[in-house]
C-alpha cells in the first residue's frame, strides 16, 4: 500500500465526544456513490471485510443526480486517444496526462463491468446497440445514458442492489468525523457519528487498516449549487486535518445551465443537463440572439467554463439575471422520452420547455480538485485513499470534461480496490483512540454566512479584491471560534450541523487561499483582474496542507503533472521562496 508520504497528522480534529462503540473491518469506505460502492464491491468480491459508511441513505449522494451520462470510447470510429485529446483541451493545460491516459484506456472496460453489475443503459430499439450522445467539449458521440436523462439514478440503483446482495455491512445516517491512526501514524480507521438510527447511535469508530474517502464534493460551500445538501466538503476537511495534501481546489466548475428559480433561491437547484444542448438545444438572450455562435467552434457545446463565462458576460452586458435555453424544436415526444426528468423539474416550477424558453444561469456544480492522490488512489497519508469528486487524480485539470466524473469514479475505484487487496498480510494495528474534545466548532448558522461570503467573493467571477474580502471574512469567523475556545473554553455544541459548518469553513478557506494565489484566468478559475492564461508562470498546480498551527501551507508544483505521493518517488515542490522541498 502506501509508503510513508508527506502527510502527517496535524493533531487537529473536530470537537466531539470519545467513541462509545467500535467495530472492525479490513477496509472502510466513506460514501455511497459510484466510486465508493465500486470499491466496496470489488474488495468484498475478493473476500475482504468491508464496511460502507454513508451520511444519509445509500442513494442520497451526488451520483443519483447525474443526468448526462458516462463518457467512454465505445462507439464506431472513436478511440481512447480522441477521448484523451478532448479531456486535455477541456483541462486547459493542467491535466496530468498519465492520469488521463489511464482514465480513457481503462474506461470502456470499466463501463462494461458496470453493465455486468446490472446497470441498463439506453439502447436502439431496432439494433439493440447502446445509444451514444454528445456533450460539451466532446468531438464524438461517446456518452452512454440511461432513462433518457436519469443515468445517475440507474447507476446508483444497480450498485446499491449489488451491494445489498453481497451482504456488505452498511452504516447509514452517519457523518464521518476524523481519521484514526496508530502509534506509527498510519491509518487505523475513522470516528463517526450515527444519527440515532439502527443498532448504533452517537459517536463510535470503525477500526480498519485502509480508509477510502468517496464523500463527493463541496458544492454546499456556495449559496446556489446542483449538489445535494450532504455535499459539505467533509472528506476534504477530514483529509486536511489528517495531514493530507489537497490540490486544484480553486477550480470549481459552475455548470452553465442550471434552472433559474429567482434571485433569492438557495440550496440545491435543478440541473438542465448538457445533453440537452448535445441534442441540439441552443442558448439565447431575451432578444432571441444565439450569443454562443462565434464564441467557440463548438458554439453551445464548448467546454463548460467557456459557456459559463459567456452566459455570465451576456448577463452583465444586458443587465439580465439569467439567459435562456431553447429546445422548443424538440417537440413533446422527444422531451418526454429523452429528457423526462428535466421536463418534470421544469414543469414543477411552472416552465414548459415544449412551448417556452427555459431560464438558466450558472451555479456551483463540481470540484475538479480535492485530496491529492496517485494513480492508485493513494493520498499522502499512509493507508488513506480518495476516489471520485473528493479526490484530485489530475484527470480534470482546470476544468472537468462533461461526463468524465462517473467514469473517473469507476476507473480509480477499481484501482484502489486492487491496491488495498494487494497487501493484507499484516493485521491492522490498534488505533490511538482520541480523548474527548478537539478543535472548536462553528455555530450551525455559520454555514449560511460561509455560503454568502463564497458566493459574493469566489463565485464565477473573482478578483484580487473580492477574494481578499472573502478571505478576511472567513478568517474572522475562524479566529472568533478559536479565540473563544482558547480564552474561555467555549465552542458550539457538537452536532451534525456544527460539524458541517466547521468543515465548510475549512474548505472555503483553502479554496479562497488557492484562488488568491493563482493570479491568472484558467479553466473554471476566472480572475477579472487577471483575464489572461499564463502558461509561463502558472501551468502548475497548487498544493495545500493544514499545519498543526491551523494555518494553510500553499505551495506550487514544478509543472502540470502532479508529484508522486509516495516517499520513495518524492518530487520537488516549489515554495514561496522558490526553493525545492521533498514532497511524498
Amino acid at each position: 500500500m502506501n509508503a510513508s508520504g508527506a502527510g502527517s497528522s496535524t493533531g487537529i480534529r473536530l470537537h466531539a465526544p470519545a467513541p462509545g462503540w467500535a467495530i472492525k473491518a479490513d477496509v472502510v469506505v466513506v460514501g455511497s456513490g459510484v466510486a465508493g460502492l465500486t470499491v466496496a464491491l470489488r474488495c468484498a468480491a475478493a473476500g475482504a471485510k468491508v464496511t460502507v459508511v454513508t451520511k444519509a441513505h445509500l442513494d442520497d449522494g451526488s451520483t443519483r443526480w447525474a443526468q448526462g451520462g458516462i463518457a467512454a470510447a465505445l462507439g464506431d470510429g472513436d478511440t481512447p486517444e480522441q477521448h484523451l485529446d478532448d479531456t486535455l483541451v477541456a483541462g486547459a493545460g493542467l491535466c496530468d496526462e498519465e492520469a488521463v491516459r489511464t482514465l480513457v484506456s481503462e474506461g470502456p472496460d470499466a463501463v462494461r463491468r458496470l453493465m455486468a453489475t446490472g446497470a441498463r443503459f439506453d439502447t436502439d430499439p431496432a439494433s439493440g446497440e447502446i445509444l451514444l450522445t454528445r456533450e460539451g467539449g466532446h468531438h464524438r458521440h461517446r456518452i452512454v445514458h440511461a432513462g433518457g436523462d436519469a443515468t445517475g439514478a440507474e447507476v446508483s440503483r444497480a450498485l446499491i442492489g449489488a451491494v445489498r446482495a453481497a451482504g456488505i455491512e452498511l452504516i447509514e445516517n452517519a457523518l464521518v468525523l476524523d481519521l484514526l491512526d496508530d502509534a506509527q501514524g498510519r491509518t487505523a480507521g475513522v470516528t463517526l457519528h450515527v444519527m440515532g438510527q439502527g443498532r448504533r447511535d452517537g459517536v463510535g469508530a470503525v477500526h480498519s487498516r485502509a480508509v477510502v474517502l468517496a464523500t463527493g464534493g463541496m458544492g454546499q460551500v456556495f449559496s446556489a449549487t446542483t449538489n445535494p445538501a450532504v455535499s459539505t466538503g467533509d472528506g476534504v476537511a477530514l483529509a486536511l486535518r489528517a495531514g493530507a495534501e489537497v490540490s486544484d481546489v480553486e477550480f470549481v466548475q459552475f455548470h452553465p445551465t442550471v434552472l433559474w428559480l429567482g434571485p433569492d433561491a438557495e440550496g440545491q437547484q435543478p440541473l438542465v443537463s448538457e445533453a440537452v444542448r448535445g441534442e441540439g438545444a441552443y442558448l439565447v438572450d431575451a432578444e432571441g440572439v444565439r450569443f454562443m455562435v462565434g464564441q467557440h467552434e463548438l458554439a453551445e457545446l464548448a467546454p463548460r467554463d467557456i459557456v459559463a463565462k459567456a452566459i455570465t458576460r451576456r448577463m452583465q452586458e444586458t443587465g439580465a439575471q439569467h439567459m435562456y435555453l431553447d429546445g422548443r424544436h424538440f417537440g413533446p415526444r422527444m422531451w418526454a422520452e429523452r429528457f423526462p426528468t428535466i421536463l418534470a423539474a421544469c414543469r414543477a416550477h411552472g416552465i414548459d420547455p415544449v412551448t417556452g424558453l427555459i431560464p438558466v444561469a450558472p451555479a456551483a456544480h463540481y470540484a475538479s480538485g480535492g485530496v491529492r492522490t496517485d494513480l492508485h488512489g493513494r493520498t499522502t497519508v499512509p493507508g488513506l485513499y480518495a476516489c471520485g469528486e473528493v479526490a484530485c487524480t489530475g484527470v480534470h485539470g482546470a476544468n472537468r470534461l462533461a461526463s468524465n466524473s462517473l467514469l473517473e469514479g469507476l476507473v480509480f475505484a477499481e484501482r484502489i480496490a486492487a491496491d488495498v487487496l494487494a497487501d493484507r498480510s499484516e493485521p491492522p494495528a490498534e488505533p490511538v483512540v482520541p480523548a474527548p474534545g478537539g478543535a472548536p466548532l462553528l455555530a450551525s448558522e455559520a454555514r449560511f454566512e460561509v455560503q454568502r461570503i463564497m458566493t459574493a467573493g469566489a463565485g464565477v467571477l473573482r478578483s484580487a479584491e473580492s477574494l481578499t474580502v472573502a478571505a478576511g471574512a472567513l478568517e474572522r469567523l475562524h479566529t472568533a471560534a478559536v479565540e473563544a475556545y482558547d480564552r474561555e473554553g467555549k465552542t458550539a455544541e457538537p452536532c451534525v450541523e456544527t460539524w458541517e459548518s466547521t468543515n465548510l469553513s475549512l474548505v472555503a478557506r483553502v479554496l479562497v487561499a488557492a484562488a488568491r494565489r493563482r493570479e491568472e484566468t484558467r479553466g473554471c478559475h476566472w480572475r477579472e483582474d487577471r483575464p489572461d492564461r499564463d502558461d509561463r508562470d502558472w501551468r502548475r498546480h497548487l498544493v495545500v496542507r493544514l499545519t498543526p498551527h491551523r494555518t494553510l501551507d500553499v505551495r506550487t508544483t514544478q509543472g502540470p503533472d502532479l508529484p508522486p505521493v509516495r516517499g520513495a518517488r518524492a518530487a520537488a515542490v516549489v515554495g514561496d521562496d522558490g526553493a525545492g522541498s521533498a514532497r511524498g
Side-chain angles (χ1 to χ4, degrees), residues 145-158:
H145 48 84
D149 58 357
T151 307
E154 172 59 17
V155 170
S156 184
R157 181 204 63 78

Side-chain angles (χ1 to χ4, degrees), residues 46-345:
K49 186 178 186 303
V50 181
T51 298
V52 173
V53 176
T54 188
K55 193 171 178 181
H57 295 292
L58 275 182
D59 63 350
D60 281 344
S62 293
T63 291
R64 76 180 178 100
W65 296 101
Q67 294 175 345
I70 306 176
L74 294 166
D76 291 340
D78 197 7
T79 65
E81 199 69 25
Q82 294 176 68
H83 190 183
L84 180 141
D85 289 342
D86 286 345
T87 301
L88 294 180
V89 169
L94 270 191
C95 295
D96 184 304
E97 187 166 339
E98 186 181 1
V100 178
R101 196 170 295 280
T102 298
L103 177 81
V104 300
S105 61
E106 298 181 11
D109 283 343
V111 172
R112 294 184 185 103
R113 283 188 288 274
L114 177 62
M115 294 168 63
T117 302
R120 298 188 293 266
F121 296 112
D122 294 339
T123 57
D124 183 280
S127 67
E129 295 292 320
I130 292 178
L131 292 173
L132 301 172
T133 190
R134 276 182 68 195
E135 292 183 0
H138 292 273
H139 284 80
R140 290 277 188 177
H141 286 71
R142 65 166 66 97
I143 316 297
V144 301
H145 48 84
D149 58 357
T151 307
E154 172 59 17
V155 170
S156 184
R157 181 204 63 78
L159 291 174
I160 289 172
V163 164
R164 293 195 187 281
I168 293 171
E169 181 173 38
L170 307 172
I171 304 179
E172 296 181 286
N173 301 293
L175 172 63
V176 168
L177 302 176
D178 281 302
L179 196 71
L180 290 170
D181 53 19
D182 61 21
Q184 285 70 48
R186 195 187 186 287
T187 294
V190 292
T191 56
L192 66 161
H193 178 265
V194 182
M195 297 168 231
Q197 301 286 329
R199 293 179 293 115
R200 307 179 186 92
D201 59 21
V203 175
V206 181
H207 299 170
S208 66
R209 66 192 319 275
V211 171
V212 181
L213 296 178
T215 52
M218 58 180 79
Q220 289 291 326
V221 79
F222 294 97
S223 297
T225 177
T226 63
N227 288 193
V230 294
S231 298
T232 51
D234 306 318
V236 171
L238 176 152
L240 283 163
R241 290 191 297 270
E245 294 177 348
V246 302
S247 188
D248 294 354
V249 288
E250 68 271 33
F251 297 117
V252 175
Q253 188 177 79
F254 286 76
H255 198 288
T257 54
V258 175
L259 188 63
W260 189 78
L261 301 180
D264 300 321
E266 294 183 341
Q268 186 177 9
Q269 315 282 299
L271 176 68
V272 182
S273 170
E274 202 153 310
V276 176
R277 283 174 281 136
E279 295 289 354
Y282 43 83
L283 288 161
V284 297
D285 61 18
E287 302 300 320
V289 176
R290 284 186 65 187
F291 56 89
M292 281 306 301
V293 175
Q295 296 272 348
H296 189 275
E297 60 165 333
L298 296 175
E300 280 88 359
L301 285 178
R304 288 178 178 176
D305 63 309
I306 294 171
V307 180
K309 290 172 187 176
I311 290 174
T312 304
R313 283 197 193 99
R314 197 66 164 189
M315 289 163 58
Q316 290 178 323
E317 292 166 0
T318 62
Q321 294 180 307
H322 58 83
M323 290 288 108
Y324 294 96
L325 192 62
D326 189 351
R328 292 175 293 181
H329 51 287
F330 287 176
R333 181 175 177 179
M334 182 172 176
W335 273 110
E337 294 180 357
R338 180 68 178 87
F339 301 112
T341 306
I342 297 169
L343 178 63

Side-chain angles (χ1 to χ4, degrees), residues 340-359:
T341 306
I342 297 169
L343 178 63
C346 288
R347 285 178 170 169
H349 292 283
I351 300 158
D352 189 349
V354 175
T355 59
L357 301 175
I358 306 172

Side-chain angles (χ1 to χ4, degrees), residues 2 26 69 170 336:
N2 287 26
D26 294 321
L170 307 172

